[in-house]
Amino acid sequence: MSTVENTAVKREFEETSDESVAINNNNGNLMKRQVIVPVTKPRIHYTPLKTGLCYDVKMRYHAKIFTSYFEYIDPHPEDPRRIYRIYKILAENGLINDPMLSGVDEIGDLMLKIPVREATRSEILEVHSKEHLDFLEKTEQMSREELLKETEKGDSVYYNNDSLSSAKSSCGGAIEACKSVVEGRVKNALAVVRPPGHHSEPESSGGFCLFSNVAVAAKNILKSYPESVRRIMILDWDIHHGNGTQKAFYNDDRVLYVSLHRFELGKYYPGTVHGQYDQTGEGKGEGFNCNITWPIGNVGDAEYMWAFEQIVMPMGREFQPDLVIISSGFDAADGDTIGQCHVTPSCYGHMTHMLKSLARGNLAVILEGGYNLDSIAKSALAVAKVLVGEPPDELPEPSKDTKPEALEMVDKIIRLQSKYWKCFKRNCGNAGCEFKEPVTENIISKNFPLQTAIRQQQLQNLLLDNYKFVTLPLVNQKLSEDTVFCSQNVYDASTLLIVVHDTPDIWAARNVITGTIEPSSSIIVDSGLQFIKWAVKRNYGVMDINIPQSLFEQDNYSAMITAQEVLLYLWDNYIKFSTDVQKIAFVGIGDASSGIIHLMGHRDTRNNVKAIISFIGSKQLKPLVPLVDESLTDWYFKNSLVFSDKNHSCWGDNENKKPRKKYGRVLRCETDGINNIVEERFEEATDFILDSFEEWSDSE
Amino acid sequence: MSTVENTAVKREFEETSDESVAINNNNGNLMKRQVIVPVTKPRIHYTPLKTGLCYDVKMRYHAKIFTSYFEYIDPHPEDPRRIYRIYKILAENGLINDPMLSGVDEIGDLMLKIPVREATRSEILEVHSKEHLDFLEKTEQMSREELLKETEKGDSVYYNNDSLSSAKSSCGGAIEACKSVVEGRVKNALAVVRPPGHHSEPESSGGFCLFSNVAVAAKNILKSYPESVRRIMILDWDIHHGNGTQKAFYNDDRVLYVSLHRFELGKYYPGTVHGQYDQTGEGKGEGFNCNITWPIGNVGDAEYMWAFEQIVMPMGREFQPDLVIISSGFDAADGDTIGQCHVTPSCYGHMTHMLKSLARGNLAVILEGGYNLDSIAKSALAVAKVLVGEPPDELPEPSKDTKPEALEMVDKIIRLQSKYWKCFKRNCGNAGCEFKEPVTENIISKNFPLQTAIRQQQLQNLLLDNYKFVTLPLVNQKLSEDTVFCSQNVYDASTLLIVVHDTPDIWAARNVITGTIEPSSSIIVDSGLQFIKWAVKRNYGVMDINIPQSLFEQDNYSAMITAQEVLLYLWDNYIKFSTDVQKIAFVGIGDASSGIIHLMGHRDTRNNVKAIISFIGSKQLKPLVPLVDESLTDWYFKNSLVFSDKNHSCWGDNENKKPRKKYGRVLRCETDGINNIVEERFEEATDFILDSFEEWSDSE
């Protein structure tokens, strides 16, 4: 079948012949079509198809029964005006011609009205249980009291006597929109329908949703057009996870469900584990489910464009869908107080434009959530303009860096999904990117080998050889003997610097093909060293404490416990008996810092400890727990500097936000990464120590 | 200015009022426009603009003067029919209506004819020198002999008496195409013009190009529309580097020039250093030049889509151009024998679709090279269909993996360009991705610290402790004493396994934000170890030789020299005197293998050496140089196995290609990466050794 027919473009011939054949069209139905052999030069031209539009005023009858005066002032967010406002903005901007906004049939040259009808029982039963449908059918006849009771019982959903009809129309509208695209009557389609659908699971309503509109549409399209529609991609950019849609296709390899949503460890609605990024489908459907879960709110264009270019588009192209359906909630839009995110109308336009390049342009956009009436109208307008063929508007200049949490999540998802999708192998080496021990046989030692190697290097090449450091024996037998090294003057120096650090970083060149790093062009960057050199030069006593990190452990909980135990042990067994020591400064680097803060809360060190410096980078802030007495918190705040990454999550998006005193005096650096912030703030840190020691540097 | 006006869409009002104001349009010119305040509901609608088309038959008059009969059979590739064939396919597919293909003015509803005019002297002089223009003007009056002489003198360019007129029309066509877009007369434009332009430098013709059409157009647009066009992005997907265009804007920050082209260390036309990927502009233009250089031919859709999504689009969005010009050669197209690449028409469609999302859709496509008449016609049709508003066709399923050389190049360019573009910081950590020593002060030791650490770990934890290996003293004092370790039976064993390896790989998790790797989740993978364990179990004598890699050295030349010297030294001073040894097998891993092959060519080892196994991964094949006698090559081929990566460049794209005998018996593995291929072929390698030793494993 030629490209021209594939792209669903109507050919019109100016010259006709009487030759007429029956051809097998996309839908698997035989249809008559005039096929003309031009006698001279071809004289044909394209007439581009219109964009379909589903809208019917009757879907506004589903509404919450008012029970108090306040609902007039503060109406339910799933407000009947949602669809009207979208229809209105399309008319105001000339995309449709309906001056009275009454829902006329003839709406102009750009869009074609797709009549809304109610979904049939059998269509709905393709996804939903008979019990669920029967229950909803009963709502038509229920009394006000019964309706209110069911509303109360449900999971964020309301009913009135028109709910069933609206829900069936919404569902039928979604089906008709998809059908008109698949049958080539329109080039793509927009269904402005409500109530939304993606939270409705086969057995139940939920989250403002009665029927799972998109799921019902997709199931019925697959059933009705088995030849022309073998695969459907559903892209759900509603800010909430589409649990209902996911469930309907979780073990189905014909439907790729990709959802971008807030997750926040399951705290965000619908708040089940099903929305987690590691839910990739099961059985035949394994690998055909992809949750792109924002671990934080407040994301916007940068994060969505990144996820689209890195995940959605390569995956979509590899899947080769015959139809793309957007589950188009506009609650990630800037201005939506439920979503609290900042996707601009231009960004919705760009995402639509990208998705148009899949499935030969077969794209149906079905409305889901979105509760700020202005935001959803502007967003839907941007989508509609791209559907009719306009280029998307330019994206506004990003005001912020892309959120590191989002970058990390996208990276994690790529590594996870690389099991299923060839396109992602390129991002993480052909060897695949899941972190797994490559060949057990070949690993030198399973117990933190690289860390051990680095520590040996650290000690042998520098501490031992250059500075004649010695080991300090630890009774705590869990730790290796190379954990604490000291300068030889540690017992008689009056001033002591104690550096507690994680395993130092490695700056490495990573091979893009194999995913391995190249030792020849890799360097160990030991930020603590700079402080040790500085202290040795000033004849301070120096202790260097290395806290190894745990392998495969996300939160490094045990490393922090180790740091805490080691420091308490050193304090109780060595430092507090050292009569010569008058002034002590601590420098903590990374997670290991938490050991210092723990010590400060659990022992009264105020006689000797003058300064506590922490470089935490992007690690979590640790509060001082003042077990000795309440005034410790103030003391800690006055005598500490805590350097964080520029993009540390504690800063949020409010420029004026300050962490509380119990976290110490937290300062925001200009850069990210432990090495960079040490480099940036080394002088400030050492000056702070000198001030607290009442010493001053030579230059002052 | 509202979006509607920005997207260059004409509003038509059904109701009019007499209110009429002068507004300032995009071009900075005052123009009259009817602005209507609707009395009731708005009744406006969009009329989408057409796509502009520049074509004029007169550009076919520039042609090579035939000097022999053979030129009829094998015409010059820059053939006058090139533009005709593109025009014809547009008509055949209904994009334009011109049944006689005569270049009529009224071409239908989808495209608007943009009349071609000759560029003026002053327009041309914006880019070119007066000398160059004067010279071309002289060609109009030259005799056949003079023309042939100038054709011979030039750099791949020919002249006849119509060359000037065609070149001025081609250049003027490019200007008019851009102008029509910028002025909002069309939504975008396609200029089917010749001769091409991008190789013509300010002072000279070259590479079939007389005037630098795109450069002249861009300069004049910037000059004529200083308010509305502040920045232009030129995307050059011709398979050759657009040296002329690059030169015209090399120190100009108003023009971002991005070129995708074959480079091959400068061997591919135009073959100057200017086309190298590290040429990023200078002065004000630094960072506004980006060469995406394919180090090999035979690239296609996968590589172009990858480069577009990873580099071109993020960079384009960040640049925020007001106009995008495609320097559209179709010689990367599948079927072009000069380009020898495989970009499909669909891929051209997809790239066009992506670029449409920039600059509010202001896009002008100007023809450059492309020499297969069928290929350029199909490619141009795909581009034109996307320009008029059709979605791109589906990409064909990729038949091959994306070329590793291309992935590596894209990665390299991202790291290089991250100095200039914020969008790339996300790919390689906020710290930037150029490989530089992060903080000199903090580096443990500058002399290959990580390699040293790994070697120490290797020896101490395993060889020394578990197997009681001992060091073998080397008189060669350049090498550290941990280079060669042996089992204690090495002097009396009758069978010897000698493992020569590069520093082992590290399997590491890399932090996407900071670009550092995390030692806690990183593992040293020592492929050689498996062979040592195997040999120790069989009571063989074992030698383990570690060849450190050179830091920052691309080809590891010095590491290979080291391997060669060490092996010759060991042979001459130890192995050849060992009377007990009867059977020797070598296992080489990585670049270090070349030491073995060198030894085989320089000493006659055939009495004892029974098997030579190399795992070269993606490293270059090394030939045996048979200094002892000619029959060595055959002997080496029979007694060797050389395992290469699946995607090793030696396999090219011809399935049946076999490396020559002097490289040994080279086998293609199923995977990539040294660790993976050792894992895959360990058994085959050890079986081969056993066979050659005439031993068999217990299982057989």
Side-chain angles (χ1 to χ4, degrees), chain A residues 3 41 46 94 99 309 317 353 385 393 402 411 426 430 439 442 507 512 520-521 526 530 551 672 679, chain B residues 3 41 46 99 309 317 353 385 393 402 411 426 430 435 438-439 442 512 520 526 530 551 672 679:
Chain A
T3 323
K41 302 277 182 198
Y46 270 22
E309 239 155 23
R317 281 198 301 270
H353 184 82
K385 279 166 72 177
D393 280 341
T402 314
D411 186 63
R426 299 181 296 197
N430 285 335
V439 184
N442 291 339
W507 224 98
V512 288
S520 58
S521 46
D526 185 0
Q530 213 169 336
L551 192 57
D672 288 310
E679 180 64 9
Chain B
T3 322
K41 302 278 182 198
Y46 270 21
E309 239 156 22
R317 280 198 301 270
H353 184 83
K385 279 166 71 176
D393 281 341
T402 314
D411 186 62
R426 297 180 296 198
N430 285 336
F435 190 77
V439 184
N442 291 339
V512 288
S520 58
D526 186 0
Q530 212 170 339
L551 191 57
D672 288 310
E679 181 63 9

Side-chain angles (χ1 to χ4, degrees), chain A residues 576-697:
Chain A
K576 82 169 177 196
F577 297 115
S578 166
T579 47
D580 292 327
V581 170
Q582 286 154 20
K583 295 182 281 191
I584 302 175
F586 280 93
V587 173
I589 293 175
D591 272 334
S593 305
S594 72
I596 307 175
I597 297 156
H598 182 82
L599 172 65
M600 299 301 119
H602 286 69
R603 300 288 183 272
D604 194 348
T605 64
R606 284 174 286 190
N607 266 347
N608 297 326
V609 173
K610 305 295 179 194
I612 304 121
I613 314 279
S614 302
F615 291 91
I616 56 156
S618 63
K619 310 279 184 158
Q620 222 186 313
L621 292 178
K622 294 289 162 352
L624 184 101
V625 182
L627 293 194
V628 182
D629 71 59
E630 281 300 322
S631 67
L632 261 182
T633 306
D634 268 347
W635 171 85
Y636 176 60
F637 182 75
K638 277 188 204 132
N639 294 286
S640 67
L641 290 182
V642 179
F643 295 106
S644 85
D645 276 1
K646 182 183 175 205
N647 286 306
H648 191 286
S649 57
C650 75
W651 301 107
D653 296 278
N654 180 347
E655 291 297 321
N656 301 316
K657 197 180 156 191
K658 281 241 172 249
R660 292 164 63 190
K661 276 194 170 182
K662 62 179 177 180
Y663 295 111
R665 192 189 303 271
V666 186
L667 300 175
R668 186 174 191 169
C669 295
E670 297 294 314
T671 53
D672 288 310
I674 293 273
N675 299 315
N676 295 317
I677 67 172
V678 171
E679 180 64 9
E680 181 187 321
R681 300 301 182 108
F682 175 76
E683 208 166 319
E684 185 176 345
T686 49
D687 281 353
F688 185 83
I689 295 173
L690 292 180
D691 280 352
S692 74
F693 284 177
E694 298 182 341
E695 296 177 24
W696 284 273
S697 61

